């Protein structure tokens, strides 16, 4: 339990030193936290930070590094900045509680901090009491063993278009080469539960899903020469969990990836951040195609590039696709990096809205709510993808692709309503027709079916994801997989960077809490006690002396 | 915080309890009389608050509060006179009964009884206006109003309790002396001092007024103690 006086960030120089809880406006929070990490004085004085989001949103905020997960890249350029404004908070140990305030608490703390500054912490000062005892101790290995934490993770989904006819498809000789489409589904941020993933991953996911829907509606998939497959990958913000697991499952030839064999995959197309492609000034969506430079040890992506560029030309004047700048060190941070690590001969391409650096100011942030994502950009990305995939997979008998722009926009709008908007979130008609949503109920009774950007934790694991949720075999299963020699061998074979184990601690119920109130200073309380005891003793003594003197006085009369 | 709680108890109630133990508890009759007095004055305060319940909410202004205080003091002064009348009647009856066996109340006895009546009066004010707030200090927080950033409202209440405990106890002794010696100056003086002390607490409404008001009340209490001790010293021997 930590209690300390509230001090507003702007009042810091004016208030006497000592432990304090800093109330920082959201727009200045990143700068302050960065200063905190590097200043010994701040580390000593500041025992907690309360971030106030009601005073305004920062113009850019990203908890990822300037080059997120640089060690996974197929090239070495660790100082290249893909994510300007990246603070790398996701990988820092702050050691103090950091809260994001609700509107009511933001109101309370601001006037209390102002009072403290006015009276310079003398007398009754307003304090914040923070109670957040985590059950996990030490590192992830220890807390998993002690059942005090649960691993971060989620479930990915893959599908094939057209459906794979036969589970032994990959084994018998008639298998077609596979073009794999990838999209990420989630993100990370400093405040995990508040993570939004609109531009970071949902933009790509929606474009991919709409592209596939358009291809299904065009009804030409039966004539394709190549097999199309799509994988939606979770946990990519946490050391590329999803793609790494998919590759491992394919190496194991497990039941979950029957039909999707790495031997057959020779083209991988990833759709990354595409939400910001629409340029209102020129009425055009600008897309960039990232590939590893030709002539290296990786597969030649020329076919993918030409397919995409001709698709853009065919599509309309509003869709523009060009290869990314050759001054880039290579492909941007993406799941494709992992495919190239395991099978360098794959021809890979990443479709994005940015060229040399991320366009979105909120990569891996709780502010990534989609203000810079437009339906036009996503629709154009979907059309571009559909046409590209169609041209890559087309056989001699395949008819030309007819795409309806309006239909694409409607499909995109449908999914945006479900996946990006807070309301109705997953209670939207499209989702409601397929599933019942996870509803989150907040402390004040309101509920939300909005999609969370954070992958969340895995409470139960089993080899069969359809197994009953009642078997809480997390600890045993995690250890089984960690000590699995096959996995270790596979990791070594492809020199994967060290695999961290991401976990979330368990918490006692009703924690963490934050209470703000006015507290008497210790000095005053102690002084009151001393003076009180003194007065009491003095009164008793004087009264006794007085009574004795009075009696003597009476006797003498 | 708990240390707040104990500090304030010692400050506000400690001297009163010490005085009770040393002076009043020596005679069991005085203890009973103090308790009875406290009970009676509690009824009076409850009665006063019942009247003003019809005027709720009272505007938080000096003027409105002055009206409430003035009415309350007037009611208490009237009851004080009634107490004197009832007390005198009872004492006369008891004296008649005691004269048969040759005893009578000395002036010292009468002063002691007046003190017991006054102690009950003061104690009730302490309980009503201070002890009722005290449980709030047992938990973590405190409360300061904007007009008085120097001391919390609980501190003000403790000082009030200390001051008015002494003031009211002394005033009752002086009043009884005034009634006994039929001195209108003393009787009216007592009423005036009571009214003045109550109005002095309104100074707490002013910014930083509590720094002037509370020491002034404590000083008034000390002055009255000096006067009362002098009074008893002179008259106690007879």
């Amino acid at each position: 339990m930590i209690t300390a006086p509230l001090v507003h960030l702007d009042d810091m120089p004016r208030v006497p030193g000592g432990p304090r809880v800093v109330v920082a406006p959201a727009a200045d929070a990143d700068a302050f936290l960065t200063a905190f990490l590097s200043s010994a004085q701040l580390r000593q004085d500041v025992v907690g930070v309360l971030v106030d989001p009601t005073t305004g949103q920062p113009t850019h905020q990203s908890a990822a590094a300037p080059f997120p997960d640089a060690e996974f890249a197929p090239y070495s350029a660790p100082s290249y900045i893909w994510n300007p404004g990246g603070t790398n908070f996701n990988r820092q140990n702050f050691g103090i509680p950091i809260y994001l305030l609700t509107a009511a608490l933001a109101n309370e703390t601001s006037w209390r901090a102002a009072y403290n500054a006015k009276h310079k912490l003398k007398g009754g000062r307003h304090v914040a009491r923070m109670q957040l005892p985590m059950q996990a101790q030490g590192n992830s290995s220890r807390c998993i063993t002690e059942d005090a934490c649960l691993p971060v993770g989620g479930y990915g989904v893959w599908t094939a278009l057209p459906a794979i006819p036969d589970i032994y498809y990959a084994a018998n000789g008639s298998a077609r080469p596979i073009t794999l489409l990838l999209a990420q589904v989630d993100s990370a941020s400093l405040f995990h539960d508040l993570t939004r993933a609109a531009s970071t991953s949902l933009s790509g996911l929606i474009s991919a899903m709409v592209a596939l829907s358009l291809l299904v509606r065009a009804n030409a998939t039966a004539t394709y020469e190549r097999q199309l497959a799509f994988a939606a990958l979770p946990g990519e913000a946490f050391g590329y969990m999803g793609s790494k697991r998919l590759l491992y499952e394919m190496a194991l030839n497990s039941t979950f990836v029957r039909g999707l064999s790495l031997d057959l995959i020779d083209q991988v197309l990833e759709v990354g951040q595409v939400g910001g492609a629409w340029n209102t000034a020129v009425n055009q969506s600008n897309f960039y195609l990232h590939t590893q430079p030709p002539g290296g040890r990786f597969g030649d992506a020329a076919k993918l590039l030409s397919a995409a560029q001709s698709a853009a030309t065919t599509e309309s004047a509003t869709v523009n696709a060009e290869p990314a700048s050759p001054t880039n060190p290579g492909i941007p941070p993406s799941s494709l990096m992992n495919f190239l690590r395991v099978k360098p001969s794959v021809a890979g391409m990443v479709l994005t809205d940015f060229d040399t650096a991320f366009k979105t100011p909120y990569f891996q942030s709780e502010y990534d709510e989609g203000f810079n994502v437009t339906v036009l950009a996503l629709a154009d990305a979907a059309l571009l993808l559909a046409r590209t995939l169609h041209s890559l997979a087309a056989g001699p008998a395949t008819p030309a692709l007819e795409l309806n722009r309006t239909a694409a926009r409607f499909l995109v709008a449908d999914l945006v309503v479900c996946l990006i908007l807070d309301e109705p979130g997953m209670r939207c008609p499209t989702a409601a027709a397929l599933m019942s949503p996870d509803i989150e109920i907040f402390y004040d009774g309101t509920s939300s079916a909005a999609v969370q950007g954070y992958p969340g934790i895995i409470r139960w694991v089993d080899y069969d994801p359809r197994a009953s949720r009642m078997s809480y075999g997390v600890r045993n299963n995690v250890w089984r997989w960690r000590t699995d020699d096959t996995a270790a061998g596979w990791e070594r074979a492809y020199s994967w960077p060290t695999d961290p184990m991401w976990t979330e601690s368990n918490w006692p119920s009703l924690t963490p809490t934050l209470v703000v109130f006015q507290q008497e200073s210790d000095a005053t309380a102690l002084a009151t006690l001393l003076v009180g005891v003194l007065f009491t003793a003095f009164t008793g003594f004087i009264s006794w002396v007085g009574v004795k003197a009075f009696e003597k006085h009476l006797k003498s009369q | 915080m708990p240390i707040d709680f104990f500090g304030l108890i010692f400050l506000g109630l400690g001297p009163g309890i010490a005085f009770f133990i040393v002076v009043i508890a020596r005679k069991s009759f005085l203890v009973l009389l103090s308790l009875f007095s406290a009970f009676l004055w509690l009824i009076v305060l409850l009665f006063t608050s019942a009247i003003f319940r019809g005027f709720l909410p009272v505007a938080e202004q000096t003027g409105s509060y002055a009206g409430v205080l003035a009415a309350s003091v007037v009611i208490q002064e009237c009851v004080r006179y009634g107490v004197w009348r009832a007390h005198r009647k009872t004492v006369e009856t008891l004296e008649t009964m005691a004269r048969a066996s040759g005893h009578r109340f000395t002036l010292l006895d009468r002063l002691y009884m007046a003190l017991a009546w006054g102690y009950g009066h003061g104690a009730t004010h302490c309980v009503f206006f201070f002890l009722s707030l005290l449980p709030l200090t047992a938990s973590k927080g405190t409360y300061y109003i904007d007009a008085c950033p120097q001391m919390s409202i609980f501190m003000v209440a403790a000082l009030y309790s200390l001051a008015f405990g002494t003031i009211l106890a002394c005033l009752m002794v002086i009043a009884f002396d005034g009634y006994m010696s039929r001195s209108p100056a003393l009787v009216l003086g007592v009423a005036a001092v009571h009214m003045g002390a109550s109005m002095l607490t309104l100074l707490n409404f002013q910014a930083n007024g509590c720094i002037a008001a509370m020491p002034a009340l404590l000083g008034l209490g000390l002055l009255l103690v000096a006067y009362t001790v002098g009074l008893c010293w002179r008259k106690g021997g007879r």
Side-chain angles (χ1 to χ4, degrees), chain B residues 19 57 67 69 75 78 90-91 93 111 129 134 139 144 148-149 153 178 184 186-187 200 209-210 216 227:
Chain B
F19 182 78
L69 280 175
I75 291 175
C78 295
T90 314
V91 162
T93 315
L111 287 170
F129 296 110
L134 214 47
S139 64
Y144 281 63
C148 185
I153 60 170
L186 275 178
V187 171
L200 197 56
C210 52
Y227 181 83

Side-chain angles (χ1 to χ4, degrees), chain A residues 5-87:
Chain A
L6 292 165
V7 178
H8 196 269
L9 183 58
D10 301 330
D11 295 328
M12 288 270 277
R14 280 183 275 151
V15 162
R20 79 270 309 275
V21 172
V22 176
V23 181
D28 305 323
D30 274 7
F32 175 68
L33 288 172
T34 313
F36 170 82
L37 286 169
S38 51
S39 157
Q41 181 63 36
L42 281 178
R43 270 197 181 271
Q44 194 185 359
D45 277 348
V46 177
V47 297
V49 177
L50 307 180
V51 178
D52 178 357
T54 57
T55 51
Q57 206 166 300
T59 45
H60 58 86
Q61 200 278 326
S62 171
F67 187 159
D69 290 317
E71 61 270 23
F72 287 84
Y75 50 82
S76 174
S79 55
Y80 186 79
I81 299 184
W82 282 108
N83 180 25
T87 51

Side-chain angles (χ1 to χ4, degrees), chain B residues 74-171:
Chain B
V74 164
I75 291 175
Q76 287 184 42
E77 290 304 322
C78 295
V79 173
R80 195 199 294 278
Y81 182 63
V83 160
W84 160 250
R85 293 292 296 265
H87 172 85
R88 195 181 63 170
K89 192 85 166 90
T90 314
V91 162
E92 278 172 9
T93 315
L94 286 174
E95 264 196 324
T96 319
M97 286 160 42
R99 212 167 290 151
S101 54
H103 299 284
R104 61 186 302 256
F105 283 116
T106 64
L107 189 53
L108 181 62
D109 290 332
R110 291 172 200 274
L111 287 170
Y112 261 126
M113 284 192 283
L115 182 63
W117 273 108
Y119 189 84
H121 191 189
T124 302
H125 276 250
C126 290
V127 167
F128 211 75
F129 296 110
F130 173 57
L131 198 56
S132 53
L133 296 179
L134 214 47
L136 292 172
T137 59
S139 64
K140 308 279 187 235
T142 185
Y143 194 75
Y144 281 63
I145 59 168
D146 287 335
C148 185
Q150 292 84 4
M151 41 182 124
S152 66
I153 60 170
F154 302 103
M155 174 71 81
V156 171
L159 293 175
Y160 166 89
S161 163
L162 188 55
F164 262 70
T166 28
I167 290 174
L168 292 172
C170 296
L171 283 181

Side-chain angles (χ1 to χ4, degrees), chain A residues 259-434:
Chain A
L260 190 69
S261 162
L262 196 53
D263 296 332
L264 295 171
I265 298 176
D266 58 355
Q267 287 178 346
V268 174
L269 191 56
E270 178 169 346
V271 51
Q273 309 158 32
V274 289
W278 179 256
N279 187 340
T280 15
V282 296
N283 249 8
Q284 199 178 48
S285 283
N286 291 313
F287 296 102
Y288 295 93
L289 310 164
H290 299 261
T291 57
Q292 284 299 112
R297 58 189 181 98
F298 301 109
D300 186 3
K303 214 169 174 187
L304 298 173
L305 282 170
S306 67
Q309 286 177 290
S310 60
T313 328
T314 320
E315 186 46 49
S316 80
T318 63
V319 179
N320 183 38
E322 57 191 72
S325 164
T327 56
N328 290 355
I331 52 175
S334 55
S335 313
L336 178 61
M337 288 178 165
N338 302 320
F339 278 79
L340 291 178
R341 174 182 293 271
V342 172
K343 190 175 177 186
S345 60
V346 148
M349 183 170 81
V350 185
L351 175 71
T352 66
D353 58 12
F354 60 85
D355 189 4
T356 53
F358 293 172
K359 216 167 162 184
T360 175
Y362 298 126
F363 179 73
Q364 290 189 11
S365 163
E366 51 271 9
Y367 300 105
D368 188 8
E369 288 166 323
F371 292 120
N372 54 342
V373 172
T374 57
V375 168
L376 290 172
L378 299 188
D380 285 341
L383 291 164
L384 177 61
L385 271 175
R387 217 170 264 290
T388 309
L389 290 171
H390 180 87
S391 74
L392 286 172
T398 311
L401 186 63
E402 306 241 325
L403 289 177
N404 185 340
R405 239 190 144 59
T406 319
R409 287 185 191 166
F410 268 109
L411 284 169
V412 165
D414 242 1
L415 287 176
V416 163
V417 160
C418 299
L419 297 178
I420 294 186
L421 295 186
D422 273 351
E423 283 294 324
M426 291 299 268
R427 281 186 273 227
C428 60
T430 314
L434 298 168

Side-chain angles (χ1 to χ4, degrees), chain A residues 39 73 86 249 377 406 476 502:
Chain A
S39 157
E249 297 275 348
T406 319
N476 295 333
W502 293 98

